[in-house]
């Protein structure tokens, strides 16, 4: 599962608020909502965030392996 927990810390470090993403960079509330809920976003959006925040992909997202449910056989 891809999680965006690091995004919020990077935004804080760089002084970029969610409001600024909406106002200055034309992010939609829907895009921010998908990020908050760790849902799918496009690579275009990831690229744009890296450009805005002057950071690497690792600074905004992380892959966490999900545990598989037990196999009841």
């Amino acid at each position: 599962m891809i999680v965006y927990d690091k995004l919020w810390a990077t935004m804080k470090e760089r002084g970029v608020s969610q409001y600024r993403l909406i106002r200055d960079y034309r992010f939609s509330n829907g895009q921010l909502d998908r990020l908050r809920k760790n849902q799918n976003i496009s690579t275009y959006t990831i690229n744009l965030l890296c450009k805005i925040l002057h950071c690497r992909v690792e600074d905004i997202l992380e892959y966490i392996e999900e545990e598989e449910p037990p196999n009841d056989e």
Side-chain angles (χ1 to χ4, degrees):
M1 167 188 227
I2 302 287
V3 295
Y4 300 100
D5 298 340
K6 290 183 174 186
L7 169 64
W8 315 113
T10 301
M11 285 175 58
K12 187 173 183 174
E13 280 178 20
R14 306 289 200 279
V16 177
S17 67
Q18 292 181 43
Y19 175 73
R20 187 168 169 208
L21 286 178
I22 293 168
R23 185 192 69 203
D24 296 344
Y25 299 103
R26 306 282 191 236
F27 268 69
S28 70
N29 284 324
Q31 285 174 310
L32 288 172
D33 193 48
R34 285 191 297 278
L35 288 163
R36 283 191 288 273
K37 294 178 180 177
N38 295 317
Q39 294 177 337
N40 293 332
I41 61 168
S42 70
T43 54
Y44 175 83
T45 301
I46 294 169
N47 185 65
L48 187 56
L49 285 168
C50 288
K51 186 175 180 180
I52 291 166
L53 298 170
H54 304 285
C55 68
R56 297 173 53 149
V57 172
E58 302 86 43
D59 297 325
I60 60 172
L61 63 88
E62 178 180 22
Y63 172 75
I64 298 176
E65 194 165 340
E66 295 180 71
E67 291 185 28
E68 293 188 29
N71 190 358
D72 294 338
E73 287 187 29

